[in-house]
Amino acid sequence: MKLEIAEATALNVLGWLVSDEELLPIFMGSTGVDQDALRQSAGDAAFLGSVLDFLLMDDAWVMRVCDALNIPYQQLAAARQALPGGAQIHWT
């Protein structure tokens, strides 16, 4: 996936996350980000990767966001891989 598409996907996911009253407080609490930092970091590819990392922790969250945005489930993982720090580590 091209970086531009990954960033656009992650921005859409962030928009969804901000509107989700259940998950947003969990994300903010687990990352320590506040409203101001959230706004300031929205254009940062590394921050967008952390948003995807958070959602990829739970299959139910992946399904919720993908269903809401009408995107394939695997698109979140593909976008994460394209963003900074998302390369898969091969242990063998």
Side-chain angles (χ1 to χ4, degrees):
M1 176 179 289
K2 292 185 178 184
L3 180 60
E4 298 81 24
I5 295 171
E7 287 177 344
T9 298
L11 274 172
N12 286 333
V13 168
L14 178 59
W16 174 86
L17 179 61
V18 168
S19 71
D20 189 284
E21 294 178 4
E22 178 186 337
L23 281 180
L24 181 61
I26 297 169
F27 173 74
M28 292 176 75
S30 67
T31 61
V33 71
D34 62 15
Q35 291 287 343
D36 290 333
L38 190 64
R39 281 193 252 353
Q40 292 172 352
S41 300
D44 178 27
F47 176 76
L48 293 173
S50 71
V51 170
L52 296 181
D53 282 338
F54 171 77
L55 289 168
L56 287 165
M57 290 191 311
D58 189 314
D59 289 344
W61 296 348
V62 170
M63 291 171 31
R64 279 177 54 194
V65 66
C66 289
D67 289 347
L69 297 177
N70 198 30
I71 59 175
Y73 299 143
Q74 62 272 25
Q75 188 165 334
L76 261 67
R80 179 60 192 110
Q81 288 177 339
L83 292 170
Q88 286 188 337
I89 298 172
H90 297 284
W91 297 102
T92 57

